[in-house]
Amino acid sequence: MADRPTDVNEKKGMSRRTFMKNTGLVAGGVVGGGLFGGLLTNQFQKKTDVKNTSTGKDSGQLQDARVFFTRAEDFDILSAATERILPKDDLGPGAIELGVPYFIDKQLHSEWGINAKEYMKGPFVLNMDTTGNHNKTRDQDNQGPNTETQVPTPTPRYQTKMNRGEIFIIGLRGMDLTAQKEFGAKFVELSPEQQDEVMRMFDDGQVELKGIGSQNFFHLLLQTTLEGAYADPVYGGNRDMMGWKMKEYPGPRASYMAQIEPEEFVKLDQQSLRDYQGH
Amino acid sequence: MVIKLDKVDVVIVGTGWAGGVVAAELSKAGYKVVGLERGKNQVRADYIGVKDELRYTNRYEMMQNLAPETITSRNYLDETALPVRTRQEMMAGTDLGGGSVHWAGATYRWRPYDFKIRSMTIERYGKAKIPEGMTIQDWGITYDEMEKYYDRWEKTAGISGEPDPLGDKRTNDYPNPPMMESPPIKLFKEAAKKLGYHPFQVASGNLSQGYTNPDGEVMNACMYCSYCTQYGCDFGAKSDPLVTVLPTAMKTGNYEARVGSYVRRVLHEGGKATGVLYVDDLTGQEYEQPADVVVLAAFTFTNNRLLMLSKIGQQYNPQTRKGVIGRNLNGQFNITFLGARGYFEDKKFNYYAGAGALGGTMSDFAADNFDHTNLNFIGGGGIEMRQYGEAAISSNHVPKGTPKWGAEFKKNSIHYAYRNLVVWYTPNVMSWWHNFYDLDPTYKDDFGDPLLRITNKYTDQDRNIAKFGIEKCREIMEEMGADIIDEDEVPYEFDHIYSGGHYAGGVIMGTDPATSAVNNYLQMWDMDNLFVVGGSAFPQFGGHHPTSTIGALGYRAAEGIDKYLKNGGQLVAGKMESNKV
């Protein structure tokens, strides 16, 4: 347990262990007398926890609250899963440290999360055997995932009545159920290898979910994890531009004219949208 | 209650390159012109400071809102088409300037062969070379006739480029010199030269220097900021209707662009268009805009759908193969732009830097520039390598065999972020009797009108030409010295993803009213005062990007509309049976 990537990240704010500790307080129901008191205590302690373990930088700390996920358990599974997709290693931070779970939470609360600009009129013809809900970039078949991931299907892909937020809830709870069925424990309690095993089952489309292929949910999770790691920090992920630093992406600039002709790689300091608009 | 407005000379549906060029030319000629745009008003200030990959590339900020209306899609006639629901799968431009505002800027004239593909194929290889069911046809206009319109549009747009060594006759050079040459472009060109090919710099709508066009519109030099494709230009340095033809039209005092105006019908009586019916997006108020001439210059999908909803022209029927509206659907799909991606261990490119149309290209395998006698396809296309300038979310390419997530994915995606290049092929896309547009029997828009339905499947021609192109791209990438080369796989079937915005046909140009909807002035055979301008007129897709051809057709149409307004009647005599299907 000690070497699990999320535990290593504890100092950086939100971590799985913090969540489990708090969840334990509520579930036990012994602290503060009754559920309501437990929740209050829990909220209080969580805030304290976050404050005490913060990095001391101002980036995103005030934004570290859920605006989409109501159940801490769901968010906890999300955090653990994104960290397995983009784990912390010697190259740099993982998904949790980058703020990816909060990024996803905010995205699901946005017009994108509720499919505000998608065609959502029926009838919905969902063929669970073949229909995915996500597309791919032009060369995705051969070059691995970009932000979008592919499912070969004979029909247009998104044919579920559910919006993306609903898909996430169904999917994350499905991961927990699968963890319990396969390993007899909650997803967040599994070893990283066991978590990977559950995630591979989703990736392969082996898990039955209501109204959506597990693969489709998983690809949505993959896509949003990469977006959270590398989108401008204004959206709550890519914290302190650590994703960009890791990749040596400089961020938005007025001009890269000086970098077009040189043969050698020019490493630039990272700048965010805030820097760019603040000119 | 429909409010009937005062009559104008010309009402134009759409404000992109097609509608913008027509608006500029006719308002300059003194006609009263109204342009209707379903999207919102946009000015350059809307693009300043919004260099945001997530918002524009991943969330499709500049694309049509699909909640009220989309298309449905299927491969085969016996299938039920399903709606293409998300903007990830269906991107069409919207707002003032249309899709032309978020284009990358790569500019190619189509070849003499593209305009006379049927007769030139028969002439060189015999009739048997065209497979049964392929409904390609000559446009009824030649490259030589199109040349002056291309030239005109290139000057208006301030295109920056150098001549193609294998190019066709040009009256003039591009108005501006080519863009800068980056190390990846040099690498591509050197490799292509070593192989005996004729590479050159992609002609670009990203301006290489400050420029004033013949209408007096001033454009700035490109800053190579990387935010071109799917973005509006921060600097007024990408040629689009917002910095060229729309201000030209507005300056005349004769043009009014009405945004938030969703056109539902072309109104007509006794074989003549009388105007259009549209709805104000913000108030729901319906208006009738009467006009002497109606111009449909919207996106291909909308041009087709409006004719069908308005019951103008005979709907194409694949069973009888008769009828013209909706015939010859074509475009660039997931079988186009296939090639080879190379990963380099000892090279690291400044690939975060670039511009939409910064690149190298060659025409050695374009059109009929190579002998097809022993090849199992006809047509060809350009081979291209572009340096768009990749942002961080999109630079996650990893060699084949890398897992899609986890530690190894992370390691490879970071290692190769600036160590990979892709070369692709952009072949002709032919038309077939079984690929067409009609109205969907089930799915409706917000007003209860049927959605446009697309039926599209691939043939051996598509798969063979793609395979040929991939092999050529691989050969070049090998010469470029990549350590790992991953070839694209040829998809067996169309995947219902409409992500490139290059969809055409359905209201096609020709010489025969039995197999075409418009004459070579884009005038409907069936309705003298209705002109349908844009990619919808392509009888088949040329071997490269469509924008300059759409711009050129805009000038051709404007000339025709002016003639019609002066003299009336059909501008071209139809030739029956010229292209037997």
Side-chain angles (χ1 to χ4, degrees):
Chain A
M1 287 290 280
D3 60 353
R4 285 161 64 177
T6 46
D7 292 334
V8 177
N9 293 341
E10 186 152 316
K11 283 200 194 98
K12 299 288 182 183
M14 184 48 59
S15 80
R16 190 162 58 209
R17 188 190 276 168
T18 310
F19 260 128
M20 287 170 65
K21 227 159 49 189
N22 293 328
T23 309
L25 287 173
V26 179
V30 289
V31 184
L35 184 59
F36 188 56
L39 276 170
L40 285 177
T41 312
N42 182 41
Q43 292 294 321
F44 176 73
Q45 290 203 346
K46 196 168 82 188
K47 272 182 190 161
T48 313
D49 268 314
V50 170
K51 237 176 218 162
N52 289 345
T53 57
S54 86
T55 58
K57 293 173 185 166
D58 69 343
S59 62
Q61 299 303 331
L62 290 172
Q63 296 177 6
D64 282 1
R66 304 186 308 270
V67 292
F68 172 78
F69 288 101
T70 49
R71 286 190 205 166
E73 288 91 330
D74 296 335
F75 189 74
D76 206 2
I77 300 164
L78 173 73
S79 302
T82 57
E83 185 68 21
R84 294 311 303 152
I85 290 169
L86 216 63
K88 182 182 173 73
D89 56 17
D90 52 9
L91 292 166
I96 291 179
E97 200 175 333
L98 288 167
V100 168
Y102 284 108
F103 165 88
I104 294 176
D105 178 77
K106 286 176 176 61
Q107 285 297 305
L108 295 178
H109 189 64
S110 75
E111 66 171 29
W112 181 82
I114 58 167
N115 293 29
K117 290 185 173 174
E118 322 291 25
Y119 184 79
M120 296 299 280
K121 301 183 211 301
F124 293 91
V125 183
L126 183 68
N127 177 348
M128 292 299 292
D129 291 333
T130 54
T131 304
N133 72 348
H134 272 282
N135 70 13
K136 57 187 175 183
T137 51
R138 182 185 41 74
D139 50 356
Q140 194 108 8
D141 291 56
N142 312 311
Q143 272 102 22
N146 206 300
T147 61
E148 300 158 356
T149 45
Q150 55 105 5
V151 190
T153 66
T155 58
R157 290 179 166 73
Y158 202 111
Q159 296 299 335
T160 171
K161 189 171 180 299
M162 285 185 280
N163 65 32
R164 297 183 178 93
E166 289 161 338
I167 291 171
F168 258 89
I169 296 291
I170 295 274
L172 292 172
R173 290 180 190 169
M175 285 175 73
D176 221 19
L177 286 173
T178 308
Q180 302 205 28
K181 213 166 115 190
E182 296 294 315
F183 298 106
K186 287 175 165 296
F187 184 80
V188 294
E189 291 162 353
L190 301 183
S191 71
E193 293 72 27
Q194 290 170 323
Q195 289 177 337
D196 286 355
E197 191 56 37
V198 170
M199 287 167 65
R200 267 193 294 273
M201 288 175 68
F202 273 71
D203 195 3
D204 294 343
Q206 292 171 23
V207 181
E208 286 222 355
L209 297 175
K210 186 177 175 181
I212 183 82
S214 67
Q215 201 169 31
N216 311 141
F217 155 69
F218 190 74
H219 288 162
L220 198 53
L221 177 66
L222 265 189
Q223 174 194 342
T224 43
T225 300
L226 290 183
E227 287 170 353
Y230 296 122
D232 194 278
V234 70
Y235 295 101
N238 185 18
R239 195 149 292 176
D240 295 330
M241 299 185 280
M242 286 189 292
W244 288 354
K245 284 172 190 157
M246 196 158 62
K247 201 178 252 185
E248 300 181 313
Y249 175 69
R253 296 289 167 98
S255 174
Y256 286 123
M257 204 179 279
Q259 285 75 46
I260 297 294
E261 289 180 320
E263 292 281 343
E264 70 282 1
F265 185 76
V266 183
K267 209 177 148 180
L268 297 168
D269 287 342
Q270 279 64 34
Q271 289 184 5
S272 67
L273 208 49
R274 185 173 71 172
D275 300 315
Y276 185 71
Q277 291 179 0
H279 278 185
Chain B
M1 254 304 270
V2 182
I3 296 176
K4 191 165 176 171
L5 302 165
D6 291 339
K7 192 171 169 182
V8 293
D9 295 316
V10 183
V11 62
I12 306 172
V13 182
T15 58
W17 273 123
V21 166
V22 173
E25 292 307 293
L26 294 177
S27 57
K28 278 194 299 186
Y31 298 108
K32 290 286 171 199
V33 182
V34 164
L36 299 174
E37 168 55 51
R38 66 189 290 169
K40 58 184 187 296
N41 186 22
Q42 289 293 88
V43 294
R44 190 180 134 200
D46 288 304
Y47 307 114
I48 295 176
V50 287
K51 297 177 186 298
D52 179 346
E53 185 186 18
L54 186 76
R55 181 170 167 189
Y56 288 87
T57 300
N58 299 74
R59 300 287 180 261
Y60 307 92
E61 172 81 7
M62 292 181 70
M63 307 306 163
Q64 183 184 317
N65 178 3
L66 301 180
E69 179 209 325
T70 183
I71 53 170
T72 69
S73 183
R74 62 179 180 173
N75 293 126
Y76 309 105
L77 280 165
D78 58 359
E79 280 182 321
T80 301
L82 295 178
V84 185
R85 296 183 179 277
T86 69
R87 295 207 285 185
Q88 224 169 342
E89 303 159 291
M90 156 69 184
M91 56 172 260
T94 189
D95 302 338
L96 199 66
S100 310
V101 180
H102 70 248
W103 74 309
T107 304
Y108 293 84
R109 292 181 178 195
W110 284 359
R111 319 291 302 224
Y113 169 86
D114 290 319
F115 295 100
K116 289 185 72 176
I117 193 165
R118 186 179 170 86
S119 52
M120 282 178 75
T121 300
I122 292 171
E123 203 175 295
R124 187 167 173 187
Y125 306 103
K127 216 164 180 172
K129 190 74 179 175
I130 300 176
E132 160 64 27
M134 188 192 274
T135 54
I136 54 172
Q137 63 190 42
D138 294 358
W139 290 53
I141 195 165
T142 62
Y143 173 81
D144 286 347
E145 290 169 289
M146 284 289 283
E147 208 279 336
K148 67 172 175 179
Y149 306 111
Y150 273 128
D151 184 64
R152 186 83 181 277
W153 181 79
E154 285 165 4
K155 289 198 173 83
T156 300
I159 301 302
S160 304
E162 62 184 356
D164 175 355
L166 303 178
D168 306 299
K169 189 191 84 186
R170 305 179 55 94
T171 331
N172 293 297
D173 285 341
Y174 288 106
N176 290 303
M179 301 186 82
M180 289 158 85
E181 205 180 42
S182 65
I185 298 172
K186 273 189 198 147
L187 193 62
F188 167 82
K189 286 180 179 171
E190 280 160 16
K193 265 185 210 150
K194 269 188 210 150
L195 292 166
Y197 303 140
H198 303 80
F200 63 103
Q201 192 86 358
V202 172
S204 168
N206 321 125
L207 275 76
S208 60
Q209 60 187 15
Y211 175 70
T212 304
N213 82 4
D215 293 315
E217 308 303 337
V218 177
M219 284 170 264
N220 300 316
C222 174
M223 307 277 282
Y224 299 83
C225 80
S226 302
Y227 289 81
C228 275
T229 317
Q230 302 186 336
Y231 301 81
C233 183
D234 204 333
F235 310 102
K238 179 167 75 178
S239 184
D240 66 35
L242 295 182
V243 296
T244 57
V245 288
L246 294 179
T248 298
M250 284 166 192
K251 270 191 286 198
T252 64
N254 291 326
Y255 176 68
E256 182 199 347
R258 260 174 235 157
V259 296
S261 302
Y262 182 78
V263 178
R264 291 190 57 206
R265 293 289 185 279
V266 175
L267 303 169
H268 55 100
E269 214 180 293
K272 270 195 115 177
T274 56
V276 297
L277 175 76
Y278 73 93
V279 182
D280 185 306
D281 191 41
L282 295 180
T283 63
Q285 176 64 50
E286 287 188 313
Y287 294 95
E288 180 184 337
Q289 176 60 64
D292 286 331
V293 168
V294 174
V295 181
L296 298 185
F299 190 52
T300 295
F301 295 162
T302 301
N303 282 355
N304 272 279
R305 184 163 177 260
L306 277 176
L307 290 174
M308 292 173 194
L309 290 176
S310 308
K311 299 191 184 348
I312 295 171
Q314 196 194 344
Q315 167 70 46
Y316 172 72
N317 178 341
Q319 311 296 347
T320 62
R321 306 196 190 179
K322 288 193 165 43
V324 292
I325 308 300
R327 187 174 182 272
N328 279 30
L329 171 143
N330 64 82
Q332 293 179 317
F333 310 101
N334 63 322
I335 202 140
T336 330
F337 300 105
L338 298 182
R341 186 176 295 271
Y343 295 87
F344 298 79
E345 287 304 332
D346 60 343
K347 288 192 175 70
K348 200 169 170 188
F349 307 104
N350 293 317
Y351 216 58
Y352 51 80
L358 182 64
T361 185
M362 55 179 247
S363 300
D364 297 81
F365 299 103
D368 202 24
N369 290 2
F370 53 114
D371 184 17
H372 288 70
T373 309
N374 296 314
L375 297 174
N376 50 8
F377 60 87
I378 60 169
I383 286 180
E384 225 187 28
M385 200 209 65
R386 299 267 279 277
Q387 183 166 345
Y388 293 96
E390 280 197 20
I393 305 171
S394 58
S395 58
N396 274 306
H397 298 288
V398 289
K400 257 185 210 176
T402 303
K404 289 190 289 183
W405 50 278
E408 196 187 338
F409 165 75
K410 184 182 173 189
K411 190 169 144 266
N412 278 354
S413 62
I414 290 170
H415 177 70
Y416 288 113
Y418 303 112
R419 295 174 192 272
N420 75 90
L421 299 174
V422 63
V423 174
W424 62 48
Y425 190 50
T426 60
N428 286 99
V429 179
M430 305 304 175
S431 294
W432 298 82
W433 71 272
H434 45 68
N435 296 343
F436 64 100
Y437 301 96
D438 64 358
L439 292 176
D440 191 89
T442 308
Y443 293 95
K444 309 263 192 288
D445 72 2
D446 267 357
F447 296 99
D449 287 330
L451 300 185
L452 187 72
R453 174 170 68 177
I454 287 177
T455 307
N456 185 31
K457 67 170 179 146
Y458 292 151
T459 60
D460 288 340
Q461 154 77 28
D462 302 304
R463 292 181 280 257
N464 293 341
I465 199 169
K467 191 165 168 285
F468 173 85
I470 291 166
E471 284 164 14
K472 297 296 168 199
C473 292
R474 185 195 174 90
E475 193 181 290
I476 294 166
M477 190 53 82
E478 272 169 11
E479 191 64 40
M480 285 166 70
D483 297 285
I484 302 169
I485 299 175
D486 285 341
E487 285 180 17
D488 284 327
E489 279 162 34
V490 177
Y492 182 78
E493 199 44 276
F494 172 52
D495 64 353
H496 310 285
I497 305 297
Y498 298 83
S499 61
H502 296 176
Y503 310 106
V507 195
I508 65 173
M509 185 191 284
T511 53
D512 182 351
T515 52
S516 59
V518 295
N519 65 29
N520 64 24
Y521 283 101
L522 294 302
Q523 181 185 32
M524 291 277 301
W525 294 114
D526 287 355
M527 203 169 274
D528 293 348
N529 67 337
L530 179 57
F531 290 73
V532 188
V533 190
S536 56
F538 300 169
Q540 55 275 327
F541 213 85
H544 237 307
H545 306 297
T547 306
S548 65
T549 304
I550 289 173
L553 287 179
Y555 282 104
R556 174 73 182 175
E559 194 180 300
I561 295 162
D562 184 44
K563 277 187 189 186
Y564 172 82
L565 281 165
K566 285 182 175 129
N567 308 314
Q570 266 291 317
L571 302 169
V572 180
K575 289 180 232 159
M576 298 302 281
E577 308 287 305
S578 62
N579 273 324
K580 246 190 169 159
V581 183

